[in-house]
Amino acid sequence: MMASTIENLYSRSTAAMKHSFIRQILGLTKGVPGMISFAGGLPSPESFPKKLLSELFFEVIREEGDEVLQYGASDGDKVFKDVLKDFEEVPYLSDDEMMITVGSTNAIYYFTRTLVDPGDVIICEAPGFPGSIAAMEACGARMVGVEMDELGMIPQLLRETIQEQLDKGRRVKFIYVIPEFQNPTGKTMDLNRRREIVEIAKEFDLPILEDQPYRELRFSGERIITLWELARTQYDDPRLVTIAKSFSKILGPGLRLGFAAGPPEIIAPMVKWAQKVTVSPDCATQRVAARFIQRGLMRKHIEGIIDLYRPRRDAMLEALETYMPEGATWTRPEGGMFIWVSFKNAIDTDELFRRAIEKKVAFIPGSNFYPQGAERKNELRLNFSYCSIEMIKEGIRRLAELAKQAGGHQCL
Ligand SMILES: Cc1ncc(COP(=O)(O)O)c(C=O)c1O
């Protein structure tokens, strides 16, 4: 069979699938000598607990091999669920309100699969995380972005956007938010904003999907109640919010481990999707993570990651202050892995990216984080978790130089 014939057989959804520009960028920058990349959303390999994990994998296979090398439960391992409930301080959660997933992208995909038919609307942040947007679009969702201020989605615009979509006769299925150290902006919703979003969701009777992969990586400021817990405890509405969390940023993304907690009416069909797609999450990895938590290693390990990333964030903020031209502004995240830079004048960051690659510094142009047609050209995302402090200083110096040449200093 010729390749062209096979392409003609692609399903409509496969044919419509877009290439990930971010993956292309990562391909361009990977392995280039001297390249300083702030592009990927990668944790630092220094944060991976390699020794402990290798010991625990050895132990788990030796002691529980008969069980963990066998097919496992599609909703996740009972032992791991119990350990997680304890760790997350939600002992009251029943097993049918929780599902272990193959990373949180997997949870986001099954959640969307459960609710969305092609053409249905999902309301998301603009800018938002392209990985989730791609997973949602793969289910045929129409993504509609809501502009953000310093605290996340602007409530009034959220309300108007939902109403506009309903007035057009579209079916709006859910609201998707990343309330903490958002990817790509690093912004965090305060308690008041969380309440407002929950209240709007209730007003329109729309579920919320709360994506929380960075929650544990808080370097400063107070921990804030999740929308999930808020709806449950203060609005007496345990069905409103489903939360997705991930071990990617606290153990290692290669382990592909995450979980979702939500109402049984949502979790049960998600598990049915899992039965058909992944069958179960990796059984050995779940028990390894369970032992890691049970031995009291997790909190200390997370503290170690925070101690590694906090100075990197500080170094990036300081370098931006020192080198960036007037007219550039940036977020000051209290945790996570990203800083968002905006230029008040007309710098085209897609163009800046091409020049930056020549000078061996990389970032992701802001246009990649907006729904098609709503792109903004004068913003960019910087990752601070991956590079050393020396690289951060040098990389920001190079980038600022290019921004100045591109006209970043001309007007305010
Ligand atoms: C906001 C957000 N959600 C979800 C994910 C996916 O994480 P996972 O590796 O658990 O699939 C990421 C990863 O970068 C992310 O930034």
Side-chain angles (χ1 to χ4, degrees):
M1 228 181 171
M2 288 171 57
S4 60
T5 329
I6 291 180
E7 282 165 7
N8 287 339
L9 296 176
Y10 279 172
S11 64
R12 276 191 286 277
S13 48
T14 302
M17 219 137 55
K18 290 178 232 141
H19 284 291
S20 155
F21 180 68
I22 294 185
R23 292 218 161 258
Q24 271 169 304
I25 290 181
L26 296 182
L28 273 178
T29 56
K30 203 174 169 184
V32 176
M35 178 66 76
I36 298 178
S37 180
F38 304 130
L42 302 181
S44 166
E46 289 161 68
S47 76
F48 300 151
K50 295 181 280 272
K51 186 167 176 296
L52 289 169
L53 286 180
S54 60
E55 285 163 11
L56 290 177
F57 267 106
F58 182 78
E59 255 181 56
V60 163
I61 302 289
R62 191 185 53 201
E63 293 168 21
E64 303 176 84
D66 287 354
E67 204 183 340
V68 300
L69 296 174
Q70 193 52 274
Y71 285 111
S74 296
D75 63 325
D77 177 44
K78 169 86 177 115
V79 173
F80 185 42
K81 274 191 180 184
D82 286 344
V83 170
L84 255 185
K85 283 184 219 168
D86 200 36
F87 179 71
E88 294 283 333
E89 296 172 12
V90 287
Y92 49 82
L93 204 65
S94 65
D95 279 342
D96 60 0
E97 291 177 298
M98 183 183 227
M99 172 188 189
I100 312 298
T101 56
V102 183
S104 59
T105 306
N106 190 228
I108 290 162
Y109 180 76
Y110 293 149
F111 181 90
T112 308
R113 262 268 164 254
T114 296
L115 296 181
V116 166
D117 285 310
D120 288 350
V121 169
I122 299 174
I123 306 286
C124 63
E125 292 150 339
F129 172 53
S132 300
I133 291 173
M136 291 171 184
E137 285 178 339
C139 299
R142 193 194 298 258
M143 304 304 296
V144 176
V146 175
E147 205 181 307
M148 301 164 74
D149 60 15
E150 285 321 298
L151 296 174
M153 263 185 192
I154 301 171
Q156 187 53 26
L157 292 183
L158 170 61
R159 196 176 271 114
E160 285 168 19
T161 306
I162 298 171
Q163 195 55 55
E164 247 167 54
Q165 293 299 313
L166 295 174
D167 291 346
K168 284 182 184 166
R170 293 187 180 151
R171 277 155 61 97
V172 180
K173 285 300 177 70
F174 66 88
I175 302 167
Y176 168 62
V177 286
I178 309 164
E180 258 157 88
F181 324 128
Q182 193 237 17
N183 184 358
T185 62
K187 292 175 182 176
T188 293
M189 286 184 190
D190 69 1
L191 177 58
N192 207 25
R193 181 61 55 88
R194 289 174 201 223
R195 281 192 204 286
E196 287 176 293
I197 303 293
V198 165
E199 282 164 21
I200 293 170
K202 280 178 79 67
E203 190 179 312
F204 286 95
D205 209 10
L206 280 178
I208 295 175
L209 176 59
E210 176 178 16
D211 187 10
Q212 279 278 22
Y214 304 103
R215 180 163 172 81
E216 307 309 325
L217 301 182
R218 174 176 279 284
F219 316 147
S220 49
E222 289 293 310
R223 197 167 160 95
I224 309 167
I225 187 170
T226 60
L227 280 80
W228 178 82
E229 209 180 340
L230 194 62
R232 226 182 141 94
T233 58
Q234 296 183 25
Y235 289 85
D236 194 25
D237 196 345
R239 295 167 66 248
L240 190 72
V241 184
T242 297
I243 187 168
K245 290 191 78 177
S246 172
F247 289 86
S248 289
K249 306 300 181 323
I250 52 175
L251 278 185
L255 294 177
R256 309 309 304 134
L257 199 56
F259 71 92
E265 305 92 301
I266 295 263
I267 298 294
M270 285 174 68
V271 173
K272 282 192 188 158
W273 279 110
Q275 284 163 359
K276 289 157 192 69
V277 185
T278 38
V279 182
S280 87
D282 184 290
C283 302
T285 303
Q286 291 179 83
R287 287 285 168 93
V288 166
R291 284 185 188 226
F292 197 86
I293 294 170
Q294 271 171 324
R295 302 227 172 131
L297 300 168
M298 189 62 105
R299 285 285 164 222
K300 196 162 165 282
H301 174 63
I302 291 172
E303 276 166 28
I305 304 178
I306 291 171
D307 288 344
L308 180 68
Y309 290 175
R310 189 194 287 114
R312 292 183 181 190
R313 174 206 58 179
D314 293 345
M316 189 170 272
L317 289 174
E318 204 184 305
L320 287 165
E321 201 68 61
T322 309
Y323 297 118
M324 273 291 169
E326 264 185 65
T329 53
W330 50 88
T331 54
R332 289 176 174 73
E334 293 190 326
M337 304 194 339
F338 305 107
I339 291 175
W340 185 248
V341 179
S342 311
F343 296 99
K344 285 200 177 130
N345 50 2
I347 285 190
D348 177 338
T349 53
D350 288 306
E351 181 52 34
L352 188 68
F353 173 77
R354 280 183 278 280
R355 294 211 223 126
I357 288 295
E358 285 166 22
K359 296 283 179 204
K360 297 201 170 168
V361 58
F363 58 85
I364 307 278
S367 57
N368 294 283
F369 300 96
Y370 286 93
Q372 230 173 357
E375 293 93 344
R376 291 204 189 155
K377 289 287 190 185
N378 61 333
E379 297 165 326
L380 58 89
R381 186 190 79 175
L382 298 171
N383 164 276
F384 57 76
S385 58
Y386 189 72
C387 293
S388 67
I389 288 179
E390 292 64 40
M391 289 165 88
I392 288 174
K393 285 183 187 159
E394 173 55 19
I396 297 297
R397 193 193 63 73
R398 282 184 209 169
L399 182 58
E401 206 50 50
L402 290 164
K404 279 179 200 156
Q405 286 163 17
H409 60 300
Q410 279 169 4
C411 54
L412 270 170

